[in-house]
Amino acid sequence: MKQAEMIKLGISIGDLNGIGSEIVLKTFDDSRMLDFCTPIIFANSKILNFLKKQYKLSLHLQSIDHPSNAIDGKVNVVNVWKENVNINFGEEDVKIGEYAFRSLEAATLSLKNDEIDVLVTAPINKATIQSDKFNFPGHTDYLAKELGGESLMFMITDNLKVGLLTDHVALKDIASVITPELIEKKIKIIQETLKSDFRVRKPKIAVLGINPHSGDNGVIGKEDEEVLKPTIQKIRDKGALVFGPYSADSFFGSKNYKNFDAVIASYHDQGLIPFKTLSFGMGVNFTAGLNKVRTSPDHGTAFEIAGKNEANINSIKEAVFKGLEIFKAREEYKGLTENQLQKQGRKI
């Protein structure tokens, strides 16, 4: 297993008209971060040096042609493109979206090829990045296509973990999308990621209802009674510690979430509004279920403050640390399970 200081951390730069470059550069302007990993930014060293001056930072950027040439103790930059880029902070620009995708594409390919160990993605603009090569609601769906496994958006802090049955789905479509098969699949992903990535031996999971008050016994919608409850019971009958559905409006305010290792919300805002309220800007978006580790900050491009040197780096710094922690926990889990299988094999 790799030691923490040897972990290669790839970073896609996101939308250059947003705060992505600012938070990435500020994070590694603190040289102590280089004690934990070898950062490799997929972008262009010339534009990043320009932005470094914009933010009055002192870090040195090491220009490289390939991740294999990364130098420990340096902030490495893989030059994904060579041409100049016109940056207009706070503006939506399809051309800038192309560079965001080129960075993400190169970083993802390196992740697939084991040239980097962990991927941290800076925020993209979901409208301007769209193209023939990127036709997805966001990072999660793109990475699910490119990497092995079933993806699940998992918002995490040390004390709160929230997964989603549905993520970027229109509100009017949610009830029809949530099926017993989807529920079982998503809960299984959370169970497995809690074991392999967070060292939880017997995960205890809460499920939030689809309708207000979990349908009030069918008075406010029948989906909770007819879909969620029987599926949860089926999973529990197999020995899993899965409970619910709980009424979402009181679940977090009552601090009931503290009784569980993870919470699974039925839809995006049901889970992310309380998560972001409680995480105080320290939350991390982790894509669970993939065969590689990817994290990101829990916020977007923040065009309204882009270029003003005002962006908070707490969330992306947490994304770096959580990515490293998850990578090490997963390597440890692999070692333990492989050793167990070898012992069983010898008994046979």
Side-chain angles (χ1 to χ4, degrees):
M1 186 175 74
K2 291 193 176 189
Q3 297 301 313
E5 64 268 24
M6 299 302 294
I7 295 175
K8 287 188 175 182
L9 182 94
I11 304 161
S12 60
I13 200 61
D15 192 295
L16 288 164
N17 283 352
I19 64 169
S21 58
E22 178 182 347
I23 59 177
V24 169
L25 292 172
K26 282 183 174 179
T27 294
F28 292 101
D29 193 50
D30 183 347
S31 61
R32 293 173 298 179
M33 295 297 291
L34 302 179
D35 294 335
F36 301 102
C37 63
T38 301
I40 305 171
I41 306 171
F42 291 79
N44 172 269
S45 56
K46 185 175 181 180
I47 192 68
L48 291 185
N49 274 308
F50 165 78
L51 291 166
K52 180 184 79 171
K53 293 176 183 176
Q54 169 86 14
Y55 301 120
K56 299 179 174 58
L57 304 176
S58 59
L59 77 165
H60 172 72
L61 299 172
Q62 179 72 37
S63 180
I64 59 175
D65 293 323
H66 191 272
S68 62
N69 298 323
I71 300 172
D72 294 339
K74 302 286 187 181
V75 181
N76 301 273
V77 181
V78 174
N79 288 293
V80 180
W81 64 84
K82 295 182 179 178
E83 64 271 20
N84 291 326
V85 178
N86 293 320
I87 294 177
N88 295 292
F89 291 115
E91 293 187 11
E92 291 195 355
D93 186 337
V94 173
K95 189 65 179 176
I96 293 295
E98 290 178 13
Y99 288 111
F101 174 70
R102 287 170 67 178
S103 172
L104 175 62
E105 182 182 42
T108 303
L109 182 61
S110 286
L111 188 64
K112 288 169 70 172
N113 293 336
D114 295 322
E115 295 161 355
I116 58 175
D117 302 306
V118 176
L119 173 61
V120 174
T121 58
I124 57 172
N125 181 292
K126 293 181 176 65
T128 60
I129 198 173
Q130 298 297 321
S131 68
D132 292 340
K133 292 184 177 180
F134 190 99
N135 186 20
F136 303 93
H139 281 113
T140 303
D141 301 272
Y142 172 76
L143 292 167
K145 175 180 175 292
E146 295 296 321
L147 303 171
E150 295 279 356
S151 68
L152 177 136
M153 185 184 291
F154 204 32
M155 308 300 292
I156 60 173
T157 66
D158 287 337
N159 302 314
L160 176 61
K161 294 174 178 60
V162 178
L164 304 178
L165 285 179
T166 63
D167 41 56
H168 296 126
V169 176
L171 200 58
K172 65 181 177 62
D173 299 326
I174 286 166
S176 61
V177 170
I178 296 176
T179 62
E181 294 76 20
L182 178 74
I183 297 164
E184 289 188 62
K185 181 174 73 173
K186 296 294 186 179
I187 288 176
K188 184 178 180 182
I189 293 171
I190 289 184
Q191 288 173 319
E192 291 178 350
T193 197
L194 286 170
K195 291 177 184 177
S196 66
D197 301 337
F198 298 96
R199 300 184 175 96
V200 180
R201 295 185 64 183
K202 189 70 173 176
K204 187 179 179 184
I205 299 168
V207 182
L208 302 184
I210 300 170
N211 296 296
H213 308 296
S214 297
D216 263 346
N217 295 314
V219 175
I220 314 174
K222 300 183 182 300
E223 291 83 5
D224 295 276
E225 290 292 324
E226 296 179 356
V227 182
L228 265 186
K229 284 185 180 179
T231 307
I232 291 170
Q233 187 59 53
K234 179 182 176 183
I235 296 169
R236 286 184 65 185
D237 289 343
K238 296 177 182 177
L241 300 179
V242 179
F243 303 90
Y246 292 96
S247 181
D249 63 346
S250 60
F251 185 82
F252 292 95
S254 66
K255 296 183 171 50
N256 196 11
Y257 69 90
K258 293 186 176 181
N259 297 316
F260 299 91
D261 298 301
V263 180
I264 186 159
S266 290
Y267 55 93
H268 186 279
D269 285 10
Q270 185 191 61
L272 267 65
I273 289 173
F275 176 84
K276 291 187 178 184
T277 301
L278 292 168
S279 65
F280 301 106
M282 299 292 285
V284 172
N285 181 356
F286 166 51
T287 307
L290 301 180
N291 62 2
K292 302 289 184 181
V293 178
R294 174 261 175 169
T295 62
S296 74
D298 68 351
H299 57 74
T301 53
F303 279 159
E304 67 277 6
I305 61 168
K308 297 180 181 179
N309 209 8
E310 297 176 2
N312 189 310
I313 68 170
N314 287 342
S315 185
I316 194 163
K317 187 175 281 190
E318 280 298 302
V320 169
F321 285 129
K322 286 290 183 287
L324 301 177
E325 289 171 13
I326 291 167
F327 177 80
K328 288 186 284 185
R330 188 175 292 188
E331 291 290 291
E332 179 184 294
Y333 183 78
K334 285 178 185 175
L336 291 171
T337 53
E338 286 171 2
N339 289 339
Q340 188 62 34
L341 287 171
Q342 288 171 0
K343 288 178 182 178
Q344 292 174 353
R346 284 198 294 271
K347 288 179 182 178
I348 294 170

